[in-house]
Amino acid sequence: MSGIAKGIGWLLLGLCLGWQSAMAADIQNVRLWLAPDHTRLVFDLSGPVRHKVFALDNPDRLVVDMAGSRLSASLDSLGIDDSPISRIRHSRQPDGTQRIVLDLSRGIKPRSFALAPNDQYGHRLVVDLLNNGTSGPTNRIGPEPATVVDDPGVLRDIVVAIDAGHGGEDPGALGPGGLREKDVVMAIAREVYRRLEATPGYRPVMVRDGDYYVSLRGRTKLARRTNADLFVSIHADAFKDKRANGASVWVISDRGATSEVGRWLAQKENGADAIGGVVSLDDKDEVLASVLLDMSMTFSMEGSRQVAERVHRNIGKFARMHKPFVEQAGFVVLKSPGIPSILVETGFISNPDEARKLKSRSYQREMAAAIADGIQDFFWNRPPAMTHIAHRKSGGQLPTLAARTYKVARGDTLSVIAVRNGVTLADLRAVNGLSNDTIRVGQVLKIPSS
């Protein structure tokens, strides 16, 4: 064989081996997460794979094929009891494809996507089983959104959306001894929920009430869906320098962060979807809307700072604060037009001393009390109109709600109208019996007097 022929042969062999190396992957681990609206399967892979997912009926099944792959993980302890999966089977096809078959107890809508490696995970294949409206697990996010009634004389509770950061596929920051941020902040969030629920005039809503991931946009979307008067995101993050310490309270900034830590934290939190397993599939309108934030951000930023200052002051009574003032950074999760929003960093889990405190149940309760008390102090001083708190503060006298009206013009949005008239978006919805922000040109809106 000539030298040229040998060279071509080695080249072809190298290409074949390279293709097999690129396409072949071991399925090293499989995880299952149960969320209110879907069940998620995550396959940890040794490399990228080509895959396809297809459904079969009579009976309902979902088939996941991964080319040139081999299952080396156990599927016996995934905890499928509360999921739509009744049984998992697997086999390796003659062409080297690894087949996973999910026997289903009810209909689902499948969605799948691959994720590239990041700081915490290697290659992953994510398969979501979306609830399609058939009977299934109840929504564990929290109580149903408050019913908006046409009678403006009906009082309502103040709605507070409590967001425990991370969850499910995303453990958040990791501390000594395997302490996970998602567990610490869930404990604090549930205590905040308990305290507000026990206070007449408040209706807290948990953004997530279990170990599953909610996308950053999904968190703010839920706050809007429940007509929240306030959004509170709770975290316990880490910094590259383990000496960093101190709790902090953050509001949104459109001019950059107030510190190096702020830039670091915002970058990490805003990238959480890549760890939690989220791809942008059908939220293009929401992303555009987040870029085109309207005048309502001015109003919500004012309220955000007021409640943040109260929470900051409360935490400072027993904990060291990272800065003596409320800080600002570009956290995506705080971009809720018309809804005051704050993010509380309860401490640095990467700092051994603070990690020890954050692990303590008594410290978690103290932190939750500081947050809940700050929220209540804020709303007592600035209660939304037609709420039980406003009614109580006024000595039982109902305010005049419809002293003014406004006719909707072309280009108006509900949030802009609220800002122009100095009222909250929630109050404007309530007095007009609106369940969402949809309005039409020529519509006459009542403007509440707060």
Side-chain angles (χ1 to χ4, degrees):
M1 181 182 294
S2 69
I4 295 177
K6 287 182 180 180
I8 294 174
W10 282 112
L11 177 61
L12 291 174
L13 177 61
L15 290 174
C16 291
L17 290 176
W19 182 86
Q20 289 179 347
S21 175
M23 298 310 299
D26 283 339
I27 304 171
Q28 301 170 325
N29 189 35
V30 185
R31 298 186 299 281
L32 183 143
W33 307 102
L34 295 174
D37 58 349
H38 71 279
T39 297
R40 166 163 293 179
L41 276 171
V42 180
F43 298 90
D44 287 313
L45 308 168
S46 62
V49 296
R50 289 183 297 114
H51 80 281
K52 63 179 179 179
V53 174
F54 57 95
L56 300 172
D57 54 14
N58 295 320
D60 289 332
R61 287 154 291 161
L62 187 71
V63 179
V64 182
D65 280 348
M66 285 175 264
S69 302
R70 185 183 300 274
L71 179 66
S72 59
S74 173
L75 303 177
D76 297 334
S77 57
L78 284 179
I80 62 176
D81 291 347
D82 296 324
S83 76
I85 304 171
S86 58
R87 185 174 59 153
I88 302 179
R89 296 177 284 124
H90 60 90
S91 63
R92 200 154 191 266
Q93 305 301 298
D95 63 355
T97 295
Q98 179 64 60
R99 171 163 291 179
I100 309 289
V101 180
L102 310 178
D103 293 331
L104 304 172
S105 59
R106 59 179 181 270
I108 55 92
K109 178 182 177 182
R111 179 179 68 185
S112 66
F113 51 91
L115 290 173
N118 55 49
D119 291 343
Q120 298 195 35
Y121 297 104
H123 289 276
R124 289 172 291 165
L125 173 63
V126 178
V127 178
D128 284 337
L129 314 181
L130 307 174
N131 297 349
N132 64 0
T134 58
S135 60
T138 56
N139 189 327
R140 295 177 294 165
I141 287 178
E144 288 299 311
T147 301
V148 179
V149 293
D150 291 328
D151 182 1
V154 175
L155 298 176
R156 68 175 181 86
D157 290 333
I158 292 173
V159 180
V160 179
I162 306 169
D163 172 38
H166 306 278
E169 181 71 358
D170 177 17
L174 301 177
L179 186 63
R180 302 182 300 185
E181 179 184 1
K182 69 175 183 178
D183 299 328
V184 170
V185 299
M186 176 56 79
I188 296 173
R190 282 178 170 159
E191 180 65 17
V192 175
Y193 179 97
R194 187 192 67 79
R195 288 174 176 272
L196 292 178
E197 187 182 40
T199 304
Y202 287 89
R203 188 173 72 85
V205 174
M206 292 288 286
V207 170
R208 70 172 179 94
D209 195 22
D211 191 11
Y212 51 87
Y213 188 76
V214 181
S215 71
L216 299 178
R217 298 293 177 193
R219 296 170 194 256
T220 58
K221 184 177 180 180
L222 183 135
R224 292 181 65 81
R225 195 182 80 208
T226 57
N227 292 332
D229 297 283
L230 177 68
F231 178 87
V232 181
S233 192
I234 302 174
H235 292 258
D237 223 318
F239 191 56
K240 53 189 176 183
D241 186 347
K242 292 186 178 181
R243 294 174 298 178
N245 62 86
S248 53
V249 184
W250 300 79
V251 295
I252 191 65
S253 170
D254 57 357
R255 297 181 180 179
T258 54
S259 68
E260 180 189 359
V261 170
R263 287 187 290 273
W264 172 271
L265 294 180
Q267 183 179 10
K268 286 189 64 181
E269 296 302 341
N270 294 347
D273 281 350
I275 299 173
V278 174
V279 292
S280 180
L281 295 175
D282 52 9
D283 62 347
K284 298 298 187 298
D285 291 339
E286 289 183 32
V287 173
L288 177 61
S290 72
V291 175
L292 303 175
L293 293 178
D294 57 30
M295 290 171 57
S296 63
M297 284 301 296
T298 303
F299 178 84
S300 62
M301 287 174 68
E302 178 189 351
S304 300
R305 177 164 291 281
Q306 289 185 21
V307 67
E309 288 172 349
R310 288 169 166 82
V311 172
H312 185 283
R313 183 168 58 247
N314 286 351
I315 298 175
K317 294 176 182 178
F318 65 90
R320 183 188 184 281
M321 303 304 294
H322 183 255
K323 297 286 185 182
F325 48 81
V326 172
E327 300 187 68
Q328 300 180 60
F331 293 102
V332 169
V333 79
L334 297 183
K335 294 182 179 180
S336 295
I339 304 176
S341 304
I342 68 171
L343 186 145
V344 181
E345 290 287 356
T346 56
F348 283 90
I349 205 170
S350 53
N351 181 288
D353 183 54
E354 292 199 346
R356 178 180 53 80
K357 292 179 180 179
L358 290 168
K359 189 177 180 180
S360 162
R361 189 72 187 99
S362 61
Y363 193 82
Q364 293 171 357
R365 285 195 292 264
E366 196 170 16
M367 185 65 67
I371 297 171
D373 290 348
I375 292 170
Q376 294 178 39
D377 181 43
F378 167 74
F379 280 119
W380 179 255
N381 286 276
R382 186 178 168 175
M386 294 312 298
T387 60
H388 292 286
I389 302 298
H391 187 239
R392 192 181 310 151
K393 184 179 180 181
S394 66
Q397 299 297 316
L398 289 174
T400 302
L401 279 183
R404 295 175 290 153
T405 59
Y406 178 85
K407 189 173 182 179
V408 178
R410 188 174 302 279
D412 279 340
T413 67
L414 198 67
S415 54
V416 168
I417 294 172
V419 172
R420 285 175 180 166
N421 290 275
V423 298
T424 69
L425 188 58
D427 289 345
L428 191 58
R429 289 195 200 104
V431 74
N432 288 282
L434 301 175
S435 59
N436 55 48
D437 295 350
T438 301
I439 53 177
R440 65 182 185 279
V441 175
Q443 181 178 357
V444 178
L445 299 174
K446 301 172 185 177
I447 304 300
S449 299
S450 179

